[in-house]
Amino acid sequence: MAAGKTAIGWLRSLWHGLDLGLRRALPGRCGFCLATAERDRPWCAACFEALPWNLPACPSCAEPQPSGSLAEKRCGHCLSRPPAFVRSRVPLRYQDEVAQLMQRFKFHASPRAGTVLLELFERGLEQRMLTWPEALIPVPLHPKRARERGFDQADWLARRLAARHGLRLYRAQRRHHTPSQRGLDRTERFRNLRDAFVIPAALPERVALLDDVMTTGATLDALARACLAAGAREVEAWALARTPL
């Protein structure tokens, strides 16, 4: 176990060194194709336009919809089982360049990848949306999983987003260590996370939840229910990218 942690730490240090070296050696370059970037942006105009933007999407759960679908039309899942959050804001789809960037951020703790993703998230939302909530709550990792990974990506994102936009940051807690969601179908994912979270503080009325990737929305739905139990009146679900189903 100790050897494994040492190897992970060594790889993370190596990645941070390469990441820093690239930023110093290639200032003003696009993070995707290394062409000249837009002013004060880590991407070029062509790559920005070609990214897999999540349009059209269900306004409730952000599930990607077929091209030509009516805007603001709720998907069948949300019509039959409305989520506890009132709407979702997920500007990107988890595929292509976005998936590669997310993997570097999530599994290698790349600050450069996280910074690019956070800026894309902000560009994908209007300013009024970013100032809508009175509180921001990152989806928490269970302490055991956080120790294994050594990095909490949702907390990293939330701390920076809250500081940039003057949002109050609250923390949720996991009641127990839930099994991984990988390999579970939609129904099993929701059942797996039932009563998984608790908020140890009274919340203001308007709350936004933040995660890196949204798949079925089961995790955000469970956390939204905990927020409502803690006094929130209206909860939004925010994520950087949505997995196409």
Side-chain angles (χ1 to χ4, degrees), residues 201-240:
L203 293 176
E205 290 191 356
R206 299 191 308 276
V207 173
L209 313 178
L210 182 66
D211 205 357
D212 55 344
V213 179
M214 184 177 182
T215 303
T216 62
T219 301
L220 289 159
D221 180 75
L223 184 53
R225 294 180 188 280
C227 290
L228 295 173
R233 299 281 299 276
E234 194 173 6
V235 182
E236 286 194 353
W238 292 2
L240 276 59

Side-chain angles (χ1 to χ4, degrees), residues 37-112:
E38 291 183 356
R39 184 177 180 180
D40 299 325
R41 297 294 181 188
W43 54 69
C44 67
C47 285
F48 182 80
E49 293 296 327
L51 288 172
W53 296 100
N54 192 19
L55 295 170
C58 170
S60 293
C61 74
E63 181 175 337
Q65 300 298 294
S67 178
S69 298
L70 294 175
E72 299 302 309
K73 183 179 180 181
R74 299 172 74 188
C75 69
H77 293 305
C78 291
L79 289 174
S80 61
R81 187 187 186 281
F85 43 81
V86 294
R87 67 188 67 84
S88 297
R89 304 194 190 278
V90 189
L92 295 160
R93 295 184 181 180
Y94 185 73
Q95 58 191 54
D96 306 328
E97 296 87 353
V98 170
Q100 296 172 27
L101 199 63
M102 188 70 73
Q103 288 165 15
R104 294 203 298 272
F105 171 59
K106 187 170 182 175
F107 298 110
H108 300 285
S110 166
R112 184 169 187 259

